[in-house]
Amino acid sequence: MLKIEPFKDLIQDDRGNYYTAVHVEEGSVTLVNAAVERSYRMLMEFTEEYTRKYADYEHQFIGKMIMDSVRHDVVFAMKDDGHGRLYDLHVVEENYQVNFINMIEFYRHPREAGSIGE
């Protein structure tokens, strides 16, 4: 059986959408859109340090930083070096009961299922 790691592994559907598992328990996995989940990983703080760290994103769309994070995780999940895994949604559905969090509702409790690294 697959062993999906919450907040680490990515699941891709046949339309090119990516999902993050935010909760896994006996035979059940809860997924949310990966870009939505990534948008809640970092606080925007307009400090000098933040401005220096993210200077390359000045005059860019807000979503670029988020999509760069998803793209980075997808690239590393495709490798076999322990940076997460990439699963096809159909394979996940064969091994788990899959539940989806509506992306409009995710903002209410984005870390309710656990925190990064747990």
Side-chain angles (χ1 to χ4, degrees):
M1 181 171 185
L2 282 271
K3 184 176 185 316
I4 295 176
E5 295 186 56
F7 299 102
K8 186 174 181 182
D9 296 336
L10 292 168
I11 293 87
Q12 182 181 15
D13 69 16
D14 58 359
R15 295 183 174 151
N17 299 299
Y18 293 91
Y19 303 92
T20 300
V22 294
H23 186 74
V24 179
E25 71 178 53
E26 297 180 33
S28 173
V29 61
T30 302
L31 305 177
V32 71
N33 178 283
V36 171
E37 189 275 327
R38 296 306 187 282
S39 72
Y40 283 90
R41 285 192 177 186
M42 178 180 54
L43 293 174
M44 292 180 74
E45 300 179 79
F46 297 103
T47 62
E48 287 181 33
E49 179 184 346
Y50 180 91
T51 303
R52 276 192 307 276
K53 185 174 181 179
Y54 297 105
D56 290 345
Y57 290 100
E58 186 172 5
H59 302 292
Q60 297 290 324
F61 291 103
I62 292 171
K64 181 166 180 12
M65 187 183 306
I66 296 160
M67 290 311 298
D68 283 351
S69 174
V70 174
R71 186 178 302 106
H72 171 272
D73 291 350
V74 167
V75 168
F76 279 94
M78 294 169 74
K79 299 178 181 183
D80 291 331
D81 61 357
H83 286 88
R85 291 174 300 263
L86 180 62
Y87 294 110
D88 182 272
L89 178 59
H90 296 295
V91 173
V92 174
E93 289 173 325
E94 291 172 2
N95 290 274
Y96 290 91
Q97 175 189 338
V98 178
N99 305 298
F100 291 90
I101 296 177
N102 181 316
M103 59 191 279
I104 298 299
E105 297 297 320
F106 185 71
Y107 78 95
R108 293 182 186 195
H109 306 286
R111 293 287 174 237
E112 186 174 88
S115 62
I116 298 171
E118 284 190 347

